[in-house]
Amino acid sequence: MSTIVTDINQLDLNGTYTYADYLLWQIEERLELIKGKIFKMSPAPSLRHQKISGRLHLEMGHFFKNHYCQIFYAPFDVRLPKKDSLASDGKIFTVVQPDLCVICDENKLDEKGCLGAPDLVIEILSPGNSKKEMNEKFDLYEETGVREYWLVEPSENAVYIYVLNEDGKYIGLKPVTATLKSSIFPDLVINIEEIFQQ
């Protein structure tokens, strides 16, 4: 029988875990699971990270207000089962908490969060998490079918957009430094300067 975990030291950081295990963790640290492996999230995001996230959420919230798609912000669990496996908690080895995500299929939403790939995922890079976002999560979002992935780079005041092609591979677009436009939501247009203002 599984027991509640209240301290990260009770976990084997090299072990392999499922979403069923994750549900028993009542730990202060924020954790994500990627392919069964524990990834510690950065401590509370910086003020700049929070400002950028808040502004993006506000802009996008207005856009999606009367839309069938919905926007969510962290902490919000996105469970990503393997493509050919059952989606029971004990068979899910990946749960992430993107900074922002847009989900258009209501059937993917439940009281626990999202089960399946969001349509759009936005991750804001921080000094402590950029390697994870740029490597593991890039591959993960591509494999699981996230249609569009934005990497927000505060130190460069730029957004990198990746769009899934017909072969299920990301195509990188020109870095955005002025007007941000979504490929999958063409009417969604955001002024980058307002997002990054100090």
Side-chain angles (χ1 to χ4, degrees), residues 149-182:
Y149 178 35
W150 297 2
L151 268 175
V152 179
E153 176 50 275
S155 66
E156 297 173 13
N157 288 359
V159 178
Y160 300 92
I161 298 178
Y162 301 93
V163 182
L164 216 55
N165 69 10
E166 305 80 35
D167 299 323
K169 296 292 178 195
Y170 277 138
I171 303 298
L173 306 181
K174 181 180 176 185
V176 179
T177 56
T179 303
L180 181 57
K181 282 186 84 170
S182 168

Side-chain angles (χ1 to χ4, degrees), residues 13 36 43 80 88-89 92-93 149 186 189:
L13 297 182
L80 297 169
S88 67
D89 293 350
I92 297 172
F93 292 89
Y149 178 35
V189 179

Side-chain angles (χ1 to χ4, degrees), residues 108-121:
K108 291 182 178 180
L109 297 171
D110 60 25
E111 287 305 311
K112 296 177 185 176
C114 176
L115 176 60
D119 294 88
L120 169 63
V121 165

Side-chain angles (χ1 to χ4, degrees), residues 87-176:
S88 67
D89 293 350
K91 298 280 186 189
I92 297 172
F93 292 89
T94 298
V95 55
V96 290
Q97 294 185 355
D99 287 305
L100 296 159
C101 62
V102 176
I103 296 139
C104 297
D105 181 353
E106 255 188 47
N107 294 319
K108 291 182 178 180
L109 297 171
D110 60 25
E111 287 305 311
K112 296 177 185 176
C114 176
L115 176 60
D119 294 88
L120 169 63
V121 165
I122 301 170
E123 297 281 9
I124 301 167
L125 297 177
S126 299
N129 73 355
S130 56
K131 188 185 245 184
K132 177 175 72 169
E133 313 303 347
M134 296 181 83
N135 293 318
E136 285 92 349
K137 284 193 173 179
F138 180 96
D139 293 341
L140 176 70
Y141 294 147
E142 182 180 70
E143 306 173 355
T144 56
V146 173
R147 295 170 53 207
E148 188 167 316
Y149 178 35
W150 297 2
L151 268 175
V152 179
E153 176 50 275
S155 66
E156 297 173 13
N157 288 359
V159 178
Y160 300 92
I161 298 178
Y162 301 93
V163 182
L164 216 55
N165 69 10
E166 305 80 35
D167 299 323
K169 296 292 178 195
Y170 277 138
I171 303 298
L173 306 181
K174 181 180 176 185
V176 179

